[in-house]
Structures are given as structure tokens and as C-alpha cells.
Amino acid sequence: MASPSPTIKLHQVNALVKGAKSQGARALTDAHRLAQKGQPLTGIHRKYAPFSDDERDQLPEESTRVQINAARVVDDAADALTRLFDLQITQDASNAVANADVIVDGQVLVPAAPVTFLLFLEKQLTDWRTFVDSLPMLDPAEDWSWDSERGCYRSAPARTHKMRKTMHNHVLAEATDRHPAQVQPYAVDEPVGTWTTTKLSGALPAERVKQLRRRVDVLIEAVKVAREQANSAAAVQRDAGRAVFGYLLAG
């Protein structure tokens, strides 16, 4: 198998490995299937020879061709896997040395981060972004301030009256010597006290959540830039397939 080009970049190797894995798996599956087919692996050639030249029956030769050659099946599968092995070891060797700085606002946040860590970090930051989006925010209808004693936010106090129903009598007709007074009772809501209510919340101000979103977005972008830079490095070419199958197919 020909080795990868001397100028190939790591991101090119990454793209090739994905296809080579599919091809290698398909080649091995096909080889396994073909090797189990008994009839196509066999052939026959028969030639009739009469004992006497006077023999009337002159029969034609019979021949059935071998359709599948097991040695060729093995070689084809080995070729596909050799290419995969070479690309995979090149990718792994390159990943071991490929790195780039994660830079945010001109400052190196993570120096010489390996490309495998950058891939991991990008995934984790994406999950963190989802988490930030789910954070609870303070009700914007309230005026909130930090309560250091309680360790949470508190709203401005709101006062409301406590009401109590008080019964009164409405005199419809005054009492006379002959008739008692006609009275209609009715209830009146009267304030008897004051409630002072302060709401408490462990949620975050909307501006803080917005800041957290902005920061994770900036960092995700920086990690992507670093990953592209690391993947643009020249690949460290390694070969493994020839040695592996040289041993497996020896003799």
C-alpha cells in the first residue's frame, strides 16, 4: 500500500480515516461472506477418453470454473485493512503531537492544547451552553437587590392591608310604639393591619445569564479556531498495515 502524501494535513487524514473504516469493515464482511460459499470455490474439469478408437461415444470435455479464489479474497481484505491501519496510526500519532493555543481576547487561556482535548472541550462547552440556557432568571417585573445575610436576592418591600369584615346595621325604619325598628345588617371590609412582603429568589439576574452565554460562545469559537489550527498541522506519517499483515499472511 502506498503511504500517505508527505504533505498531507491532519484534517485530511481525519477525513480519510472515516471512509477507510467503512471500506475496511465492508471488505472484511464481504471476505467472510465469500469464504463461506462452498460452490463458487470449487470447479471441475473432465475429459473423456474411450478405450478403443472404434468407440462410438465421443463425449465433450466438461468444465466448471472456480468463481472465488480464497487467496485473492484474503489479499483484497488485507489490502483494505492495511490502508485503514496506516491511516489510523498516522491519525493517532499526529493527534499525539498536534496542538494549538486556545486564545481569548488576545490572551492564551489554554496553551498547547492537544487536538484530542480540543475536541473533548468543544463537546463539554456545548453541553455547558445548554445548561446555561436553562438557568432560572429573576422576574423582571420586580426590583431586586442582593441580600448578603440570606444569600439570595430580595425584592423591594410591598405593603398590603389585612382586611377584616365588620358587621354594621342599616336602619330601614325607626322603632315606634307599635313596631320595632327595621334593621338590615351588612358587612364592611375594614383594614386592621398591614402586610409588608419581600420576595426572595435564588435565580440569577438576566444580565448575568446573558454574560454567561456570551462567554461560553466566545470560548467555543476560540476552541474551534484552535482545533482547526491543530488539524492543519502536517500529519506524522506512520505505517502499520504492512508489518501486521506481513506477519498474519506469512508462509
Side-chain angles (χ1 to χ4, degrees):
M1 172 189 166
S3 297
S5 168
T7 59
I8 194 170
K9 303 296 185 180
L10 178 54
H11 67 85
Q12 295 173 306
V13 174
N14 293 338
L16 291 172
V17 165
K18 184 176 181 180
K21 284 182 177 179
S22 298
Q23 293 171 7
R26 185 168 57 251
L28 191 58
T29 299
D30 290 346
H32 182 78
R33 177 176 52 81
L34 291 172
Q36 304 305 309
K37 291 189 174 182
Q39 186 62 34
L41 285 164
T42 61
I44 191 172
H45 179 263
R46 296 202 305 170
K47 183 177 181 180
Y48 178 73
F51 291 141
S52 169
D53 293 339
D54 297 333
E55 178 66 38
R56 294 181 179 178
D57 293 332
Q58 297 294 326
L59 302 179
E61 295 182 7
E62 296 179 3
S63 179
T64 302
R65 185 172 59 88
V66 173
Q67 300 177 45
I68 297 176
N69 187 302
R72 188 174 299 115
V73 170
V74 171
D75 289 342
D76 290 345
D79 286 344
L81 291 175
T82 295
R83 178 173 183 272
L84 170 60
F85 290 1
D86 289 348
L87 287 170
Q88 186 66 59
I89 195 172
T90 295
Q91 182 188 54
D92 291 344
S94 301
N95 283 338
V97 297
N99 63 77
D101 296 338
V102 178
I103 301 175
V104 177
D105 297 332
Q107 300 295 319
V108 177
L109 189 64
V110 183
V115 67
T116 48
F117 174 74
L118 293 172
L119 290 168
F120 163 81
L121 184 58
E122 185 176 346
K123 171 62 170 60
Q124 294 300 311
L125 290 174
T126 301
D127 292 343
W128 180 262
R129 180 62 161 83
T130 302
F131 163 67
V132 170
D133 283 340
S134 69
L135 289 173
M137 291 185 288
L138 295 172
D139 184 355
E142 300 288 346
D143 183 16
W144 299 95
S145 61
W146 179 252
D147 188 328
S148 57
E149 293 184 1
R150 293 186 175 94
C152 64
Y153 287 92
R154 69 178 179 217
S155 68
R159 290 181 175 83
T160 56
H161 291 296
K162 174 176 172 52
M163 309 300 288
R164 177 183 297 168
K165 291 185 181 296
T166 304
M167 300 304 298
H168 294 269
N169 292 321
H170 176 61
V171 178
L172 300 176
E174 297 292 341
T176 65
D177 294 338
R178 295 182 178 181
H179 303 285
Q182 296 183 23
V183 178
Q184 182 181 31
Y186 64 95
V188 176
D189 287 331
E190 296 181 346
V192 295
T194 300
W195 282 108
T196 301
T197 303
T198 301
K199 295 181 180 179
L200 304 175
S201 177
L204 292 172
E207 186 58 34
R208 175 57 175 164
V209 175
K210 182 179 178 181
Q211 181 189 54
L212 292 173
R213 287 173 179 160
R214 183 170 60 249
R215 284 183 172 274
V216 69
D217 287 342
V218 169
L219 186 52
I220 288 175
E221 187 64 27
V223 170
K224 288 181 177 179
V225 170
R227 174 171 55 78
E228 288 301 315
Q229 181 181 346
N231 282 331
S232 296
V236 178
Q237 295 188 54
R238 295 283 302 276
D239 294 325
R242 190 182 304 276
V244 170
F245 284 100
Y247 170 76
L248 292 175
L249 304 181

